[in-house]
């Protein structure tokens, strides 16, 4: 009985955090983002109370089934999809469109159905283990990590001949828009963009974490160096953020209440940014809420309208 009550309290707290996240996205979009970035198609159309209630209801129903503790990696994926894709797509998709909730009901139902399906797959019992036949499974873990290391170094040497390394000033103050423009015009091959994403989002963070897990300082140093070098190539700040996010997940994901703490952190940051913008300016809303939540939500709705016309 005590265990069940504890579960109900934790579930209630988790849903409450999700409600705070959704409401801050909604109110920040109305009061801050649309006033400044109207020219970027961040429109606002006032909706009826029943439409807002129906949208928030669809946003919160999956929250009752999202895992509280992280028992499988898929739980983390579900959390990210829910917070950064599903909820913004519902809320921003409603208030940025001329159509009512009931006119676009198919859009909201498809999002809801897909989110529920993803949660169902993530919570499905792991009674079966998929074995992938690999011929050389007897090779040591160090051999595979060294293959990744060699591949990363070869790609970085090639990219160094294709891009100019940005200045230290740009690296420190994140004045990177000039670097991005140079990267767009200087790249002669379409494959360079894919290689940059491969090294910055996959190989670099992977080598960094492998080095921490295996206590191999060389792998970690090369992983960090890869990420910052990729940043100087194309000026994508999310590349540096990948390093921080990867370290947080590696360090704290095994904790029993990691997902609950992560949701609380997102809620706290959003609430702080909203009240900060009320007393000062809209700097945080501009760079945090707009880019992290409003842009994915708006693009999802725009893509839906484009491909359904």
């Amino acid at each position: 009985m005590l265990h069940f009550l504890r579960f109900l309290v934790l579930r209630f707290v988790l849903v409450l955090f999700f409600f705070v996240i959704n409401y801050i996205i909604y109110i920040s979009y109305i009061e801050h983002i649309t006033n400044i970035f109207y020219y970027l198609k961040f429109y606002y159309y006032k909706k009826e109370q029943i439409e807002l209630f129906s949208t928030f209801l669809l946003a919160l129903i999956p929250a009752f089934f999202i895992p509280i503790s992280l028992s499988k990696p898929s739980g983390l994926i579900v959390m990210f999809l829910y917070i950064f894709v599903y909820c913004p797509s519902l809320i921003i998709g409603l208030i940025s469109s001329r159509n009512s909730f009931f006119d676009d009901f198919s859009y909201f139902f498809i999002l809801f159905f897909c989110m529920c399906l993803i949660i169902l797959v993530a919570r499905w019992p792991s009674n079966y283990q998929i074995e992938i036949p690999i011929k050389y499974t007897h090779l040591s873990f160090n051999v595979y990590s060294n293959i990744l290391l060699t591949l990363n170094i070869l790609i970085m040497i090639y990219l160094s001949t294709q891009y100019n390394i940005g200045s230290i000033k740009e690296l420190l103050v994140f004045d990177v828009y000039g670097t991005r423009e140079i990267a767009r015009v200087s790249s002669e091959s379409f494959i360079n963009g894919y290689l940059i994403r491969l090294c910055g989002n996959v190989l670099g963070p992977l080598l960094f974490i492998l080095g921490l897990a295996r206590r191999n300082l060389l792998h970690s140093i090369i992983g960090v160096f890869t990420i910052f070098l990729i940043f100087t190539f194309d000026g994508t700040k999310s590349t540096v953020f990948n390093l921080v996010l990867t370290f947080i997940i590696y360090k704290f994901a095994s904790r029993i209440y990691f997902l609950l703490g992560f949701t609380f952190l997102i809620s706290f940051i959003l609430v702080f940014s909203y009240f900060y913008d009320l007393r000062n300016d809209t700097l945080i809303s501009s760079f945090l809420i707009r880019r992290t939540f409003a842009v994915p939500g708006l693009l999802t709705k725009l893509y839906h309208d484009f491909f359904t016309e």
Side-chain angles (χ1 to χ4, degrees):
M1 184 63 180
L2 184 62
H3 178 75
F4 179 71
L5 291 177
R6 178 187 174 192
F7 171 79
L8 289 181
V9 171
L10 292 177
R11 178 61 64 183
F12 172 78
V13 172
L14 185 65
V15 174
L16 179 62
F17 288 157
F18 286 143
F19 175 78
V20 171
I21 291 174
N22 291 327
Y23 184 75
I24 294 297
I25 293 173
Y26 168 74
I27 200 68
S28 296
Y29 183 87
I30 294 175
E31 297 185 2
H32 300 152
I33 296 176
T34 55
N35 295 330
I36 302 176
F37 301 101
Y38 182 85
Y39 67 95
L40 293 177
K41 296 185 180 298
F42 287 101
Y43 305 142
Y44 168 62
Y45 298 94
K46 190 174 181 179
K47 303 298 180 181
E48 299 292 337
Q49 293 296 326
I50 184 63
E51 298 177 74
L52 293 174
F53 175 80
S54 301
T55 303
F56 272 84
L57 182 63
L58 288 181
L60 290 178
I61 287 177
F64 289 92
F65 304 98
I66 291 179
I68 296 179
S69 59
L70 187 62
S71 58
K72 296 187 294 184
S74 56
L76 187 64
I77 298 175
V78 168
M79 181 69 72
F80 273 82
L81 287 176
Y82 177 81
I83 295 178
F84 298 106
V85 179
Y86 176 71
C87 292
S89 298
L90 286 177
I91 297 171
I92 307 300
L94 174 70
I95 59 181
S96 65
S97 174
R98 291 190 179 93
N99 300 331
S100 68
F101 173 86
F102 304 101
D103 293 335
D104 282 339
F105 182 75
S106 61
Y107 167 78
F108 297 101
F109 177 77
I110 290 173
L111 285 174
F112 176 74
F113 175 78
C114 292
M115 190 70 237
C116 292
L117 187 62
I118 292 173
I119 294 176
L120 177 63
V121 172
R123 295 184 66 94
W124 198 264
S126 302
N127 296 329
Y128 302 98
Q129 182 177 359
I130 300 177
E131 295 184 0
I132 303 177
I134 302 178
K135 185 176 181 180
Y136 299 103
T137 53
H138 63 278
L139 294 178
S140 66
F141 182 85
N142 291 331
V143 173
Y144 293 112
S145 60
N146 288 331
I147 291 175
L148 290 177
L149 179 64
T150 304
L151 177 63
N152 179 76
I153 293 176
L154 292 176
I155 295 177
M156 293 304 300
I157 292 175
Y158 167 76
L159 290 177
S160 299
T161 64
Q162 302 294 310
Y163 294 91
N164 294 321
I165 299 179
S167 66
I168 297 299
K169 174 179 177 295
E170 293 171 341
L171 182 62
L172 292 178
V173 301
F174 283 8
D175 183 17
V176 296
Y177 296 102
T179 303
R180 295 178 185 177
E181 185 62 28
I182 295 175
R184 292 189 185 99
V185 300
S186 63
S187 179
E188 299 179 355
S189 175
F190 73 93
I191 199 174
N192 292 345
Y194 293 101
L195 293 178
I196 280 183
R197 298 280 74 80
L198 175 64
C199 290
N201 297 339
V202 179
L203 294 181
L206 184 58
L207 287 172
F208 172 65
I209 292 302
L210 287 177
L212 293 180
R214 306 293 293 186
R215 301 182 184 277
N216 190 321
L217 184 60
L218 177 62
H219 285 64
S220 294
I221 292 176
I222 293 180
V224 173
F225 179 75
T226 297
I227 292 173
F228 279 94
L229 194 60
I230 289 295
F231 172 69
T232 62
F233 285 160
D234 70 340
T236 304
K237 287 176 277 190
S238 61
T239 303
V240 180
F241 178 72
N242 287 338
L243 179 65
V244 180
L245 182 62
T246 305
F247 176 77
I248 292 175
I249 293 174
Y250 167 78
K251 196 69 177 177
F252 300 103
S254 60
R255 308 292 176 88
I256 185 171
Y257 296 129
F258 169 76
L259 295 182
L260 197 64
F262 177 77
T263 309
F264 167 76
L265 179 62
I266 298 297
S267 305
F268 176 79
I269 293 175
L270 291 182
V271 172
F272 171 79
S273 67
Y274 174 73
F275 285 104
Y276 175 87
D277 290 345
L278 287 179
R279 302 176 64 88
N280 296 275
D281 51 41
T282 57
L283 178 65
I284 298 183
S285 289
S286 168
F287 286 94
L288 177 64
I289 299 179
R290 178 176 65 90
R291 296 189 179 191
T292 308
F293 298 97
V295 170
L298 182 66
L299 289 179
T300 303
K301 188 62 171 65
L302 290 177
Y303 288 152
H304 171 269
D305 294 343
F306 177 80
F307 288 106
T308 54
E309 288 182 356

